[in-house]
Amino acid sequence: MRVRNSAILLLLVGSLFALLGFTAAQAETMVPTEHGGLHINGTLRDETDPKTPKPVEGVDVTVSTPEGDPVGEATSDAEGKFSVDVPEAGPYVVEIDDKTLPDGTFLRDKKQLKLTVNVLGFDRSVLFPIGPDNREVTSKFTQSLTLAANGVLFGVILALGALGLNLIYGTTGLTNFAHGELITFGALSTYMFNTHANLPVIPAVVCGVLVSAAFGWVQDKGFWQPLRKRGTGVIAMMIVSIGMSIFLRYSYQYFFGGATFSYTQYVTQKSWTLGPVAMAPKNVMVIIVGTAVLIVVAIVLAKTRLGKATRAVADNPALAASSGINVDRVITLVWVLGTGLAGLSGALLGLRQQIDFQMGFLLLLLVFTAVTLGGLGTIWGAMIGSMIIGLFIELSTLVVPAELKNVGALGILILVLLIRPQGLLGRAQRVG
Amino acid sequence: MDWGAILSNAIRSGVGPDAIVYALAAIGLNVHFGYTGLLNFGQAGFMAVAAYGLAATVATFGLSFWLALLVGLLATVLLALLLGIPTLRLRADYLAITTIAAAELIRLLLGSVTLKEYFGARDGLQQFASTFYALNPFDGRFHLSLGSVGVNFSRNDTWVVFVGWMLVVVSCLIVWALMRSPWGRVLRSIREDEDAVRSLGKNVFGYKMQALILGGLFGALAGFMVGIKQAAIAPTDFATDTTFFAYTILLLGGAARVLGPVVGSIIFWFLIQFLGGFFTQATRGDNPLMPTWLMTDQQASLVRFIIMGLALMLLMVFRPQGIFGDRREIAIDGR
């Protein structure tokens, strides 16, 4: 089950990247390669003994169009490899002739003789698993423990983003649709420090967060503060933030392309195991660092004069100003803190997944969900909401296909608004 | 630089199927945001539900095209009710977040492998528009040219564009008639001051719901046109950016004006194609106009969207009423 899920996940992630990278990939690879033309290829291996797969020779594979017109055929060679030329990108049906399989060899899924594949301008490999189904099956309990650990990891990353969003929302009333791009900013700048300035990942993350915070300062001083001075309403600012989201996202794509990146270190790590739960050391570190930062920020906001000033501005800017608080400075500080947190969220997310120009944008709706669930504008609400969403997303894969895990989370959002619109920790004020 | 080709393509895009789709979507948003002040960020969801309602009824269940149109419209009304009941009593930003989430949820569901049997997963659905194309009365391609600038539509495209603009005209007439009726005046007053309207004994929630459904139905027409213009649909046609682009169009043309979305859409698609064509040509060849360290041919197609994002920001800051609008009529002062 676990393996199947991760296979689906892999497939899904793969297809997502294929989709995202499609424009770029198309531009890059539509040009015929040196050896010319497109191929559908694959390797047939008998995995009865998974440690020593044996190539299967002499199996006929035919490729045809979805309408049934034959395109080409091939027979697997001594290494079990086959390759069929296809004339152009498009959908094809690949069929394996099970009569030509050697005796004692059979497909894992005996009904899966045909596969429909979509060739997208580059060679496409297909997989026909051969041999008995000997994939590992883990118990539901172990599975849920591992999933819960992953959920906590995702929840922490989400919480950093959500806290940033909530701080800015709480003090300025702006629902910042460009917040996802601030998360991406953290990941991309960390990546730049890591690869172009040759810093190790840990100092690169620190630098990335600092640059993000500086970006927040520039944004507020150079853009949002003048807008507030002009008396621009919050809905207008929300739409401005949409424009900014589009502007930043396509700018990232302009400079970084549609490709995905990863940091130079910690890409694959041997997992630490604690009882039945296995987790890569980097992920444990992400959880520890993230949680520490969240707690420190929460304490600072709860205990210090600065935190008090922030809440005063959030409650009533005019009153805060008249009691001697420098409202503009508090808001700028909140922007710096909020974008810094978003940057950290992105930098840490880059350890968990590949980095690309829209990683933050894809996360934004989950951040919104977490924030609404916890209560818009509340500090602890953002964290609790994120943790619930993180755990829910990972644990829901026990019962629903992995591809639908985000659907469940977005469904929760709509349910919450029906039952408790102010969110778990929101004040029961009038929200309509 | 081949200005003739750039201009021809830009004009074709400005009057072509894309402009029609987004004009219809923006007319819907105009009812929501422009007239009623509802911040619906899920127009792509309404479009998706209608388009898939149409396509699945024909392609998956093999029923008639005309019945399928009805199914698409009903699905949209249902979605509006589902979304409206929990959110229309809430503040504007809640409605925005919920609708954007719902649209994404719908897109994920429609693109899921689990429901592939019905909606074709990532590949979407095809072969549902033949009834429409069979009705095509035109017997040749459409061609109109002036010097080196010309507009060309294939026989099928001519039919799509003809029906599309008819739909836009009818939609505009409906909006015009409704918004000068007492019903439309109530919508506008809800946008201006909800509490005042409530105190006059009007059922604000009911009016908002009706507006949400009506705007959603225009979105449904846009969704139908997406499916019909390319005779195929896929989940990527209904991404979040679709809604954002429709908002840009609405704000460009001018919200709370009958013709705002139409003019906005024409200008938007003209500019998008113009900038796309210009930068593609400027980066093409061995000795491009644009130095390659500044822009490569792969980056050329992105510049227009960067400019568009910037334009949306500047538009909202300096001229929120767009080209035709009236500043006093835009519901942007926050509640």
Side-chain angles (χ1 to χ4, degrees), chain A residues 15 19 169 230 249 253-254 403 417 431-432, chain B residues 89 91 93 98 113-114 236 241 294 299 317:
Chain A
S15 49
L19 241 148
Y169 176 85
R230 276 175 66 100
R249 184 151 33 93
Q253 198 185 359
Y254 186 89
E403 57 165 358
L417 288 180
V431 290
Chain B
R89 295 175 197 279
R91 220 166 40 202
D93 38 7
T98 320
V113 180
T114 317
T236 41
D241 272 354
L294 188 67
Q299 291 171 324
V317 174

mmCIF file with all atom_site columns, all heavy atoms in Angstrom, chain A residues 15 19 169 230 249 253-254 403 417 431-432, chain B residues 89 91 93 98 113-114 236 241 294 299 317:
data_model
loop_
_atom_site.group_PDB
_atom_site.id
_atom_site.type_symbol
_atom_site.label_atom_id
_atom_site.label_alt_id
_atom_site.label_comp_id
_atom_site.label_asym_id
_atom_site.label_entity_id
_atom_site.label_seq_id
_atom_site.pdbx_PDB_ins_code
_atom_site.Cartn_x
_atom_site.Cartn_y
_atom_site.Cartn_z
_atom_site.occupancy
_atom_site.B_iso_or_equiv
_atom_site.pdbx_formal_charge
_atom_site.auth_seq_id
_atom_site.auth_comp_id
_atom_site.auth_asym_id
_atom_site.auth_atom_id
_atom_site.pdbx_PDB_model_num
ATOM 1   N N   . SER A 1 15  ? 4.159   13.885 -13.253 1.00 0.00 ? 15  SER A N   1
ATOM 2   C CA  . SER A 1 15  ? 3.261   14.468 -14.244 1.00 0.00 ? 15  SER A CA  1
ATOM 3   C C   . SER A 1 15  ? 3.099   15.950 -13.996 1.00 0.00 ? 15  SER A C   1
ATOM 4   O O   . SER A 1 15  ? 2.988   16.748 -14.919 1.00 0.00 ? 15  SER A O   1
ATOM 5   C CB  . SER A 1 15  ? 1.910   13.776 -14.216 1.00 0.00 ? 15  SER A CB  1
ATOM 6   O OG  . SER A 1 15  ? 1.437   13.701 -12.922 1.00 0.00 ? 15  SER A OG  1
ATOM 7   N N   . LEU A 1 19  ? 3.935   18.776 -16.506 1.00 0.00 ? 19  LEU A N   1
ATOM 8   C CA  . LEU A 1 19  ? 2.970   19.811 -16.851 1.00 0.00 ? 19  LEU A CA  1
ATOM 9   C C   . LEU A 1 19  ? 3.570   21.199 -16.705 1.00 0.00 ? 19  LEU A C   1
ATOM 10  O O   . LEU A 1 19  ? 3.448   22.051 -17.575 1.00 0.00 ? 19  LEU A O   1
ATOM 11  C CB  . LEU A 1 19  ? 1.798   19.696 -15.868 1.00 0.00 ? 19  LEU A CB  1
ATOM 12  C CG  . LEU A 1 19  ? 0.492   19.394 -16.540 1.00 0.00 ? 19  LEU A CG  1
ATOM 13  C CD1 . LEU A 1 19  ? -0.355  18.574 -15.616 1.00 0.00 ? 19  LEU A CD1 1
ATOM 14  C CD2 . LEU A 1 19  ? -0.192  20.688 -16.854 1.00 0.00 ? 19  LEU A CD2 1
ATOM 15  N N   . TYR A 1 169 ? -1.474  40.262 7.461   1.00 0.00 ? 169 TYR A N   1
ATOM 16  C CA  . TYR A 1 169 ? -2.914  40.461 7.420   1.00 0.00 ? 169 TYR A CA  1
ATOM 17  C C   . TYR A 1 169 ? -3.394  41.145 8.695   1.00 0.00 ? 169 TYR A C   1
ATOM 18  O O   . TYR A 1 169 ? -4.180  42.085 8.660   1.00 0.00 ? 169 TYR A O   1
ATOM 19  C CB  . TYR A 1 169 ? -3.635  39.116 7.251   1.00 0.00 ? 169 TYR A CB  1
ATOM 20  C CG  . TYR A 1 169 ? -5.130  39.264 7.311   1.00 0.00 ? 169 TYR A CG  1
ATOM 21  C CD1 . TYR A 1 169 ? -5.843  39.596 6.167   1.00 0.00 ? 169 TYR A CD1 1
ATOM 22  C CD2 . TYR A 1 169 ? -5.807  39.142 8.510   1.00 0.00 ? 169 TYR A CD2 1
ATOM 23  C CE1 . TYR A 1 169 ? -7.204  39.786 6.227   1.00 0.00 ? 169 TYR A CE1 1
ATOM 24  C CE2 . TYR A 1 169 ? -7.170  39.333 8.572   1.00 0.00 ? 169 TYR A CE2 1
ATOM 25  C CZ  . TYR A 1 169 ? -7.869  39.657 7.432   1.00 0.00 ? 169 TYR A CZ  1
ATOM 26  O OH  . TYR A 1 169 ? -9.211  39.856 7.484   1.00 0.00 ? 169 TYR A OH  1
ATOM 27  N N   . ARG A 1 230 ? -1.559  56.807 0.213   1.00 0.00 ? 230 ARG A N   1
ATOM 28  C CA  . ARG A 1 230 ? -2.512  57.285 -0.789  1.00 0.00 ? 230 ARG A CA  1
ATOM 29  C C   . ARG A 1 230 ? -3.949  57.003 -0.394  1.00 0.00 ? 230 ARG A C   1
ATOM 30  O O   . ARG A 1 230 ? -4.885  57.463 -1.039  1.00 0.00 ? 230 ARG A O   1
ATOM 31  C CB  . ARG A 1 230 ? -2.281  56.545 -2.115  1.00 0.00 ? 230 ARG A CB  1
ATOM 32  C CG  . ARG A 1 230 ? -1.210  57.099 -2.993  1.00 0.00 ? 230 ARG A CG  1
ATOM 33  C CD  . ARG A 1 230 ? -1.046  56.193 -4.182  1.00 0.00 ? 230 ARG A CD  1
ATOM 34  N NE  . ARG A 1 230 ? -2.222  56.196 -5.036  1.00 0.00 ? 230 ARG A NE  1
ATOM 35  C CZ  . ARG A 1 230 ? -2.313  56.905 -6.152  1.00 0.00 ? 230 ARG A CZ  1
ATOM 36  N NH1 . ARG A 1 230 ? -1.319  57.654 -6.518  1.00 0.00 ? 230 ARG A NH1 1
ATOM 37  N NH2 . ARG A 1 230 ? -3.403  56.864 -6.884  1.00 0.00 ? 230 ARG A NH2 1
ATOM 38  N N   . ARG A 1 249 ? 6.084   35.992 -10.261 1.00 0.00 ? 249 ARG A N   1
ATOM 39  C CA  . ARG A 1 249 ? 6.162   34.584 -10.687 1.00 0.00 ? 249 ARG A CA  1
ATOM 40  C C   . ARG A 1 249 ? 6.743   34.471 -12.091 1.00 0.00 ? 249 ARG A C   1
ATOM 41  O O   . ARG A 1 249 ? 7.629   33.660 -12.348 1.00 0.00 ? 249 ARG A O   1
ATOM 42  C CB  . ARG A 1 249 ? 4.761   33.955 -10.638 1.00 0.00 ? 249 ARG A CB  1
ATOM 43  C CG  . ARG A 1 249 ? 4.718   32.493 -10.963 1.00 0.00 ? 249 ARG A CG  1
ATOM 44  C CD  . ARG A 1 249 ? 3.564   31.829 -10.238 1.00 0.00 ? 249 ARG A CD  1
ATOM 45  N NE  . ARG A 1 249 ? 2.433   32.719 -10.078 1.00 0.00 ? 249 ARG A NE  1
ATOM 46  C CZ  . ARG A 1 249 ? 1.424   32.797 -10.930 1.00 0.00 ? 249 ARG A CZ  1
ATOM 47  N NH1 . ARG A 1 249 ? 1.396   32.029 -11.997 1.00 0.00 ? 249 ARG A NH1 1
ATOM 48  N NH2 . ARG A 1 249 ? 0.419   33.627 -10.714 1.00 0.00 ? 249 ARG A NH2 1
ATOM 49  N N   . GLN A 1 253 ? 10.327  32.941 -13.506 1.00 0.00 ? 253 GLN A N   1
ATOM 50  C CA  . GLN A 1 253 ? 10.428  32.008 -14.629 1.00 0.00 ? 253 GLN A CA  1
ATOM 51  C C   . GLN A 1 253 ? 11.351  32.578 -15.701 1.00 0.00 ? 253 GLN A C   1
ATOM 52  O O   . GLN A 1 253 ? 12.094  31.846 -16.350 1.00 0.00 ? 253 GLN A O   1
ATOM 53  C CB  . GLN A 1 253 ? 9.045   31.714 -15.205 1.00 0.00 ? 253 GLN A CB  1
ATOM 54  C CG  . GLN A 1 253 ? 9.051   30.454 -16.058 1.00 0.00 ? 253 GLN A CG  1
ATOM 55  C CD  . GLN A 1 253 ? 7.736   30.196 -16.754 1.00 0.00 ? 253 GLN A CD  1
ATOM 56  O OE1 . GLN A 1 253 ? 6.775   30.953 -16.585 1.00 0.00 ? 253 GLN A OE1 1
ATOM 57  N NE2 . GLN A 1 253 ? 7.681   29.142 -17.529 1.00 0.00 ? 253 GLN A NE2 1
ATOM 58  N N   . TYR A 1 254 ? 11.305  33.914 -15.836 1.00 0.00 ? 254 TYR A N   1
ATOM 59  C CA  . TYR A 1 254 ? 12.169  34.576 -16.816 1.00 0.00 ? 254 TYR A CA  1
ATOM 60  C C   . TYR A 1 254 ? 13.639  34.303 -16.497 1.00 0.00 ? 254 TYR A C   1
ATOM 61  O O   . TYR A 1 254 ? 14.427  33.962 -17.367 1.00 0.00 ? 254 TYR A O   1
ATOM 62  C CB  . TYR A 1 254 ? 11.884  36.080 -16.794 1.00 0.00 ? 254 TYR A CB  1
ATOM 63  C CG  . TYR A 1 254 ? 12.607  36.869 -17.865 1.00 0.00 ? 254 TYR A CG  1
ATOM 64  C CD1 . TYR A 1 254 ? 12.033  37.064 -19.106 1.00 0.00 ? 254 TYR A CD1 1
ATOM 65  C CD2 . TYR A 1 254 ? 13.848  37.426 -17.614 1.00 0.00 ? 254 TYR A CD2 1
ATOM 66  C CE1 . TYR A 1 254 ? 12.684  37.786 -20.083 1.00 0.00 ? 254 TYR A CE1 1
ATOM 67  C CE2 . TYR A 1 254 ? 14.514  38.146 -18.586 1.00 0.00 ? 254 TYR A CE2 1
ATOM 68  C CZ  . TYR A 1 254 ? 13.919  38.327 -19.824 1.00 0.00 ? 254 TYR A CZ  1
ATOM 69  O OH  . TYR A 1 254 ? 14.569  39.039 -20.790 1.00 0.00 ? 254 TYR A OH  1
ATOM 70  N N   . GLU A 1 403 ? -3.062  11.662 -4.920  1.00 0.00 ? 403 GLU A N   1
ATOM 71  C CA  . GLU A 1 403 ? -3.291  12.818 -5.786  1.00 0.00 ? 403 GLU A CA  1
ATOM 72  C C   . GLU A 1 403 ? -4.433  13.696 -5.269  1.00 0.00 ? 403 GLU A C   1
ATOM 73  O O   . GLU A 1 403 ? -4.536  14.846 -5.648  1.00 0.00 ? 403 GLU A O   1
ATOM 74  C CB  . GLU A 1 403 ? -3.618  12.354 -7.202  1.00 0.00 ? 403 GLU A CB  1
ATOM 75  C CG  . GLU A 1 403 ? -4.815  11.434 -7.227  1.00 0.00 ? 403 GLU A CG  1
ATOM 76  C CD  . GLU A 1 403 ? -5.379  11.236 -8.619  1.00 0.00 ? 403 GLU A CD  1
ATOM 77  O OE1 . GLU A 1 403 ? -4.862  11.842 -9.551  1.00 0.00 ? 403 GLU A OE1 1
ATOM 78  O OE2 . GLU A 1 403 ? -6.358  10.495 -8.730  1.00 0.00 ? 403 GLU A OE2 1
ATOM 79  N N   . LEU A 1 417 ? -15.609 27.209 7.058   1.00 0.00 ? 417 LEU A N   1
ATOM 80  C CA  . LEU A 1 417 ? -16.333 28.465 6.866   1.00 0.00 ? 417 LEU A CA  1
ATOM 81  C C   . LEU A 1 417 ? -17.820 28.279 7.128   1.00 0.00 ? 417 LEU A C   1
ATOM 82  O O   . LEU A 1 417 ? -18.507 29.198 7.553   1.00 0.00 ? 417 LEU A O   1
ATOM 83  C CB  . LEU A 1 417 ? -16.106 28.985 5.454   1.00 0.00 ? 417 LEU A CB  1
ATOM 84  C CG  . LEU A 1 417 ? -14.707 29.538 5.228   1.00 0.00 ? 417 LEU A CG  1
ATOM 85  C CD1 . LEU A 1 417 ? -14.558 30.023 3.813   1.00 0.00 ? 417 LEU A CD1 1
ATOM 86  C CD2 . LEU A 1 417 ? -14.423 30.667 6.204   1.00 0.00 ? 417 LEU A CD2 1
ATOM 87  N N   . VAL A 1 431 ? -17.919 38.623 10.986  1.00 0.00 ? 431 VAL A N   1
ATOM 88  C CA  . VAL A 1 431 ? -17.008 38.575 9.857   1.00 0.00 ? 431 VAL A CA  1
ATOM 89  C C   . VAL A 1 431 ? -17.741 38.807 8.551   1.00 0.00 ? 431 VAL A C   1
ATOM 90  O O   . VAL A 1 431 ? -17.185 38.652 7.492   1.00 0.00 ? 431 VAL A O   1
ATOM 91  C CB  . VAL A 1 431 ? -16.234 37.235 9.799   1.00 0.00 ? 431 VAL A CB  1
ATOM 92  C CG1 . VAL A 1 431 ? -15.245 37.154 10.916  1.00 0.00 ? 431 VAL A CG1 1
ATOM 93  C CG2 . VAL A 1 431 ? -17.178 36.068 9.810   1.00 0.00 ? 431 VAL A CG2 1
ATOM 94  N N   . GLY A 1 432 ? -19.005 39.170 8.613   1.00 0.00 ? 432 GLY A N   1
ATOM 95  C CA  . GLY A 1 432 ? -19.731 39.354 7.354   1.00 0.00 ? 432 GLY A CA  1
ATOM 96  C C   . GLY A 1 432 ? -20.435 40.686 7.331   1.00 0.00 ? 432 GLY A C   1
ATOM 97  O O   . GLY A 1 432 ? -20.548 41.361 8.336   1.00 0.00 ? 432 GLY A O   1
ATOM 98  N N   . ARG B 2 89  ? -22.309 35.321 3.459   1.00 0.00 ? 89  ARG B N   1
ATOM 99  C CA  . ARG B 2 89  ? -22.549 36.107 4.663   1.00 0.00 ? 89  ARG B CA  1
ATOM 100 C C   . ARG B 2 89  ? -21.239 36.659 5.219   1.00 0.00 ? 89  ARG B C   1
ATOM 101 O O   . ARG B 2 89  ? -21.239 37.400 6.187   1.00 0.00 ? 89  ARG B O   1
ATOM 102 C CB  . ARG B 2 89  ? -23.206 35.231 5.730   1.00 0.00 ? 89  ARG B CB  1
ATOM 103 C CG  . ARG B 2 89  ? -24.583 34.752 5.341   1.00 0.00 ? 89  ARG B CG  1
ATOM 104 C CD  . ARG B 2 89  ? -25.109 33.794 6.379   1.00 0.00 ? 89  ARG B CD  1
ATOM 105 N NE  . ARG B 2 89  ? -26.222 33.010 5.863   1.00 0.00 ? 89  ARG B NE  1
ATOM 106 C CZ  . ARG B 2 89  ? -27.463 33.445 5.791   1.00 0.00 ? 89  ARG B CZ  1
ATOM 107 N NH1 . ARG B 2 89  ? -27.754 34.643 6.204   1.00 0.00 ? 89  ARG B NH1 1
ATOM 108 N NH2 . ARG B 2 89  ? -28.407 32.674 5.310   1.00 0.00 ? 89  ARG B NH2 1
ATOM 109 N N   . ARG B 2 91  ? -17.132 38.297 5.082   1.00 0.00 ? 91  ARG B N   1
ATOM 110 C CA  . ARG B 2 91  ? -16.444 39.457 4.562   1.00 0.00 ? 91  ARG B CA  1
ATOM 111 C C   . ARG B 2 91  ? -15.820 39.148 3.207   1.00 0.00 ? 91  ARG B C   1
ATOM 112 O O   . ARG B 2 91  ? -15.600 37.990 2.860   1.00 0.00 ? 91  ARG B O   1
ATOM 113 C CB  . ARG B 2 91  ? -15.361 39.846 5.554   1.00 0.00 ? 91  ARG B CB  1
ATOM 114 C CG  . ARG B 2 91  ? -15.186 41.308 5.783   1.00 0.00 ? 91  ARG B CG  1
ATOM 115 C CD  . ARG B 2 91  ? -14.324 41.497 7.019   1.00 0.00 ? 91  ARG B CD  1
ATOM 116 N NE  . ARG B 2 91  ? -13.231 40.522 7.049   1.00 0.00 ? 91  ARG B NE  1
ATOM 117 C CZ  . ARG B 2 91  ? -12.604 40.168 8.164   1.00 0.00 ? 91  ARG B CZ  1
ATOM 118 N NH1 . ARG B 2 91  ? -12.980 40.671 9.306   1.00 0.00 ? 91  ARG B NH1 1
ATOM 119 N NH2 . ARG B 2 91  ? -11.626 39.297 8.131   1.00 0.00 ? 91  ARG B NH2 1
ATOM 120 N N   . ASP B 2 93  ? -12.833 39.244 1.921   1.00 0.00 ? 93  ASP B N   1
ATOM 121 C CA  . ASP B 2 93  ? -11.615 38.440 1.770   1.00 0.00 ? 93  ASP B CA  1
ATOM 122 C C   . ASP B 2 93  ? -11.886 36.956 1.988   1.00 0.00 ? 93  ASP B C   1
ATOM 123 O O   . ASP B 2 93  ? -11.233 36.109 1.401   1.00 0.00 ? 93  ASP B O   1
ATOM 124 C CB  . ASP B 2 93  ? -10.498 38.951 2.693   1.00 0.00 ? 93  ASP B CB  1
ATOM 125 C CG  . ASP B 2 93  ? -11.006 39.410 4.021   1.00 0.00 ? 93  ASP B CG  1
ATOM 126 O OD1 . ASP B 2 93  ? -12.204 39.206 4.283   1.00 0.00 ? 93  ASP B OD1 1
ATOM 127 O OD2 . ASP B 2 93  ? -10.230 39.963 4.808   1.00 0.00 ? 93  ASP B OD2 1
ATOM 128 N N   . THR B 2 98  ? -12.208 31.514 -0.272  1.00 0.00 ? 98  THR B N   1
ATOM 129 C CA  . THR B 2 98  ? -12.985 30.294 -0.481  1.00 0.00 ? 98  THR B CA  1
ATOM 130 C C   . THR B 2 98  ? -13.192 30.008 -1.954  1.00 0.00 ? 98  THR B C   1
ATOM 131 O O   . THR B 2 98  ? -13.085 28.857 -2.390  1.00 0.00 ? 98  THR B O   1
ATOM 132 C CB  . THR B 2 98  ? -14.379 30.423 0.162   1.00 0.00 ? 98  THR B CB  1
ATOM 133 O OG1 . THR B 2 98  ? -14.220 31.067 1.389   1.00 0.00 ? 98  THR B OG1 1
ATOM 134 C CG2 . THR B 2 98  ? -15.004 29.074 0.351   1.00 0.00 ? 98  THR B CG2 1
ATOM 135 N N   . VAL B 2 113 ? -6.586  11.089 -11.449 1.00 0.00 ? 113 VAL B N   1
ATOM 136 C CA  . VAL B 2 113 ? -6.612  9.773  -12.092 1.00 0.00 ? 113 VAL B CA  1
ATOM 137 C C   . VAL B 2 113 ? -7.808  8.962  -11.586 1.00 0.00 ? 113 VAL B C   1
ATOM 138 O O   . VAL B 2 113 ? -8.382  8.156  -12.299 1.00 0.00 ? 113 VAL B O   1
ATOM 139 C CB  . VAL B 2 113 ? -5.292  9.035  -11.809 1.00 0.00 ? 113 VAL B CB  1
ATOM 140 C CG1 . VAL B 2 113 ? -5.277  7.665  -12.459 1.00 0.00 ? 113 VAL B CG1 1
ATOM 141 C CG2 . VAL B 2 113 ? -4.124  9.846  -12.308 1.00 0.00 ? 113 VAL B CG2 1
ATOM 142 N N   . THR B 2 114 ? -8.186  9.216  -10.326 1.00 0.00 ? 114 THR B N   1
ATOM 143 C CA  . THR B 2 114 ? -9.305  8.490  -9.739  1.00 0.00 ? 114 THR B CA  1
ATOM 144 C C   . THR B 2 114 ? -10.577 8.655  -10.574 1.00 0.00 ? 114 THR B C   1
ATOM 145 O O   . THR B 2 114 ? -11.370 7.731  -10.709 1.00 0.00 ? 114 THR B O   1
ATOM 146 C CB  . THR B 2 114 ? -9.559  9.023  -8.306  1.00 0.00 ? 114 THR B CB  1
ATOM 147 O OG1 . THR B 2 114 ? -8.305  9.180  -7.663  1.00 0.00 ? 114 THR B OG1 1
ATOM 148 C CG2 . THR B 2 114 ? -10.433 8.075  -7.530  1.00 0.00 ? 114 THR B CG2 1
ATOM 149 N N   . THR B 2 236 ? -5.788  22.072 -17.289 1.00 0.00 ? 236 THR B N   1
ATOM 150 C CA  . THR B 2 236 ? -4.923  23.258 -17.343 1.00 0.00 ? 236 THR B CA  1
ATOM 151 C C   . THR B 2 236 ? -5.631  24.477 -17.937 1.00 0.00 ? 236 THR B C   1
ATOM 152 O O   . THR B 2 236 ? -5.177  25.593 -17.763 1.00 0.00 ? 236 THR B O   1
ATOM 153 C CB  . THR B 2 236 ? -3.674  22.987 -18.193 1.00 0.00 ? 236 THR B CB  1
ATOM 154 O OG1 . THR B 2 236 ? -4.073  22.241 -19.331 1.00 0.00 ? 236 THR B OG1 1
ATOM 155 C CG2 . THR B 2 236 ? -2.639  22.221 -17.432 1.00 0.00 ? 236 THR B CG2 1
ATOM 156 N N   . ASP B 2 241 ? -4.721  31.230 -12.769 1.00 0.00 ? 241 ASP B N   1
ATOM 157 C CA  . ASP B 2 241 ? -4.380  32.406 -13.564 1.00 0.00 ? 241 ASP B CA  1
ATOM 158 C C   . ASP B 2 241 ? -5.510  32.827 -14.507 1.00 0.00 ? 241 ASP B C   1
ATOM 159 O O   . ASP B 2 241 ? -5.616  34.004 -14.854 1.00 0.00 ? 241 ASP B O   1
ATOM 160 C CB  . ASP B 2 241 ? -3.105  32.143 -14.381 1.00 0.00 ? 241 ASP B CB  1
ATOM 161 C CG  . ASP B 2 241 ? -1.860  32.493 -13.583 1.00 0.00 ? 241 ASP B CG  1
ATOM 162 O OD1 . ASP B 2 241 ? -2.026  33.028 -12.470 1.00 0.00 ? 241 ASP B OD1 1
ATOM 163 O OD2 . ASP B 2 241 ? -0.750  32.239 -14.063 1.00 0.00 ? 241 ASP B OD2 1
ATOM 164 N N   . LEU B 2 294 ? 20.387  39.678 -22.541 1.00 0.00 ? 294 LEU B N   1
ATOM 165 C CA  . LEU B 2 294 ? 19.220  40.332 -21.942 1.00 0.00 ? 294 LEU B CA  1
ATOM 166 C C   . LEU B 2 294 ? 17.995  39.432 -22.056 1.00 0.00 ? 294 LEU B C   1
ATOM 167 O O   . LEU B 2 294 ? 17.214  39.277 -21.125 1.00 0.00 ? 294 LEU B O   1
ATOM 168 C CB  . LEU B 2 294 ? 18.963  41.661 -22.657 1.00 0.00 ? 294 LEU B CB  1
ATOM 169 C CG  . LEU B 2 294 ? 17.905  42.549 -22.030 1.00 0.00 ? 294 LEU B CG  1
ATOM 170 C CD1 . LEU B 2 294 ? 18.377  43.038 -20.672 1.00 0.00 ? 294 LEU B CD1 1
ATOM 171 C CD2 . LEU B 2 294 ? 17.627  43.744 -22.930 1.00 0.00 ? 294 LEU B CD2 1
ATOM 172 N N   . GLN B 2 299 ? 12.860  33.181 -23.280 1.00 0.00 ? 299 GLN B N   1
ATOM 173 C CA  . GLN B 2 299 ? 12.336  34.138 -22.305 1.00 0.00 ? 299 GLN B CA  1
ATOM 174 C C   . GLN B 2 299 ? 11.325  35.076 -22.945 1.00 0.00 ? 299 GLN B C   1
ATOM 175 O O   . GLN B 2 299 ? 10.510  35.669 -22.261 1.00 0.00 ? 299 GLN B O   1
ATOM 176 C CB  . GLN B 2 299 ? 13.491  34.955 -21.718 1.00 0.00 ? 299 GLN B CB  1
ATOM 177 C CG  . GLN B 2 299 ? 14.404  34.128 -20.842 1.00 0.00 ? 299 GLN B CG  1
ATOM 178 C CD  . GLN B 2 299 ? 15.641  34.895 -20.445 1.00 0.00 ? 299 GLN B CD  1
ATOM 179 O OE1 . GLN B 2 299 ? 16.171  35.669 -21.222 1.00 0.00 ? 299 GLN B OE1 1
ATOM 180 N NE2 . GLN B 2 299 ? 16.114  34.689 -19.232 1.00 0.00 ? 299 GLN B NE2 1
ATOM 181 N N   . VAL B 2 317 ? -3.515  50.967 -8.914  1.00 0.00 ? 317 VAL B N   1
ATOM 182 C CA  . VAL B 2 317 ? -3.060  52.088 -8.096  1.00 0.00 ? 317 VAL B CA  1
ATOM 183 C C   . VAL B 2 317 ? -3.506  53.414 -8.706  1.00 0.00 ? 317 VAL B C   1
ATOM 184 O O   . VAL B 2 317 ? -4.054  54.277 -8.030  1.00 0.00 ? 317 VAL B O   1
ATOM 185 C CB  . VAL B 2 317 ? -1.524  52.066 -7.955  1.00 0.00 ? 317 VAL B CB  1
ATOM 186 C CG1 . VAL B 2 317 ? -1.049  53.312 -7.224  1.00 0.00 ? 317 VAL B CG1 1
ATOM 187 C CG2 . VAL B 2 317 ? -1.090  50.826 -7.201  1.00 0.00 ? 317 VAL B CG2 1
#
